[in-house]
Amino acid sequence: NGFGVKLGAIMRPFEYSPFKMGFALHSPIWYGLTDRTSATFFGTEDENIWDTRDYDAYGEELFVDYDFTTPWRFNLSASYTFDTFAAVNAEYELVDYSTASLEYTDGFEMDDLNSDIEANMQAQHIFRVGALFNLSDELSLRCGYNYISAPYKEDAAKVMFKMQDTSTEYMNLRETNIFTLGFGYAGSSFYFDMAYKLAMQKADFYNYYDAEFVNPSAEVDITRQTLLMSLGFRF
């Protein structure tokens, strides 16, 4: 469970101008979380070993309660309309993932994990720009671009001895570029909309953590193409 607050405003600074400015502030989300752990041990049929552990050596149930706080998020935007023919808008967003934090519900900090977050994460910059053109009363055209910077630092690493995990590999995501193109038709009896989205992202893949960074990384290119369509009828 968790909760957060979002506040925002849209302003038109010039009375007779279609230019608008926007500002939004997202508070952290304060989560209350519980991890529950159990383990089962088994061997060959001859050894007849079967043991399930839901409690530790002191008879306590294997669980931990802790709080997780996400970063603040800031957003600035601006838009302009050209009569009824076109509209353009731009948006900038900032979120610093290195400021996320964890602590036990009794108030004790998770120092190792918080140090890892600060050492591996960084501020992410998000930029969006889009335009809409009304080619006629029924037909419109849209296009957009979205840039998302890397959330991980270049030397980010997955340190195994600090984690309850058996997978050694990890992947550091890099910047993302997204392009969109779409059109829409709105008639008297039905409407139809189609959009194409191309997302391209780079990443560095590591087989395992290496403190000396001798372990070479493989550069990965992630490309996703999405086609969306919607059809509706008016009665």
Side-chain angles (χ1 to χ4, degrees), residues 10-232:
I10 298 176
M11 299 160 286
R12 192 171 69 181
F14 310 108
E15 183 177 2
Y16 298 104
S17 172
F19 175 72
K20 296 183 181 67
M21 296 179 61
F23 170 78
L25 176 64
H26 297 187
S27 77
I29 299 178
W30 294 276
Y31 286 105
L33 302 172
T34 299
D35 284 354
R36 298 189 181 275
T37 305
S38 63
T40 300
F41 303 89
F42 60 92
T44 63
E45 184 176 355
D46 293 337
E47 294 175 343
N48 195 25
I49 298 175
W50 187 277
D51 189 9
T52 300
R53 300 289 177 88
D54 296 316
Y55 300 89
D56 62 16
Y58 302 98
E60 300 292 335
E61 189 178 2
L62 294 173
F63 76 92
V64 58
D65 294 324
Y66 61 100
D67 300 322
F68 174 53
T69 303
T70 66
W72 288 85
R73 186 179 292 265
F74 304 90
N75 182 286
L76 293 173
S77 62
S79 67
Y80 192 90
T81 56
F82 299 88
D83 198 13
T84 59
F85 170 68
V88 295
N89 71 282
E91 184 176 344
Y92 170 74
E93 197 166 290
L94 173 65
V95 53
D96 188 354
Y97 287 108
S98 67
T99 61
S101 63
L102 297 143
E103 68 175 18
Y104 294 106
T105 53
D106 56 11
F108 286 96
E109 296 284 343
M110 296 183 180
D111 293 333
D112 286 345
L113 290 177
N114 287 330
S115 296
D116 284 346
I117 292 173
E118 186 175 357
N120 291 301
M121 308 303 294
Q122 64 181 358
Q124 186 176 63
H125 305 274
I126 303 170
F127 176 72
R128 305 181 185 96
V129 61
L132 167 69
F133 304 94
N134 290 320
L135 305 181
S136 67
D137 292 339
E138 295 85 13
L139 188 64
S140 62
L141 180 68
R142 304 184 309 276
C143 59
Y145 171 70
N146 182 197
Y147 171 79
I148 306 172
S149 68
Y152 296 99
K153 295 180 180 178
E154 288 189 7
D155 57 351
K158 180 179 180 180
V159 185
M160 292 302 300
F161 65 83
K162 293 183 180 180
M163 304 182 66
Q164 295 178 352
D165 199 343
T166 57
S167 59
T168 61
E169 74 278 358
Y170 61 95
M171 187 162 58
N172 292 340
L173 299 176
R174 297 305 177 201
E175 68 277 357
T176 304
N177 291 277
I178 302 174
F179 303 87
T180 61
L181 183 65
F183 74 91
Y185 175 83
S188 58
S189 58
F190 75 94
Y191 58 89
F192 176 76
D193 189 272
M194 177 180 289
Y196 170 74
K197 175 182 175 181
L198 172 63
M200 298 180 295
Q201 185 177 33
K202 292 184 178 296
D204 296 324
F205 176 83
Y206 294 86
N207 284 322
Y208 53 88
Y209 166 69
D210 178 9
E212 302 299 328
F213 288 98
V214 178
N215 172 28
S217 65
E219 186 173 302
V220 180
D221 291 315
I222 305 171
T223 301
R224 300 183 182 92
Q225 300 185 69
T226 307
L227 185 64
L228 303 171
M229 293 177 287
S230 61
L231 175 64

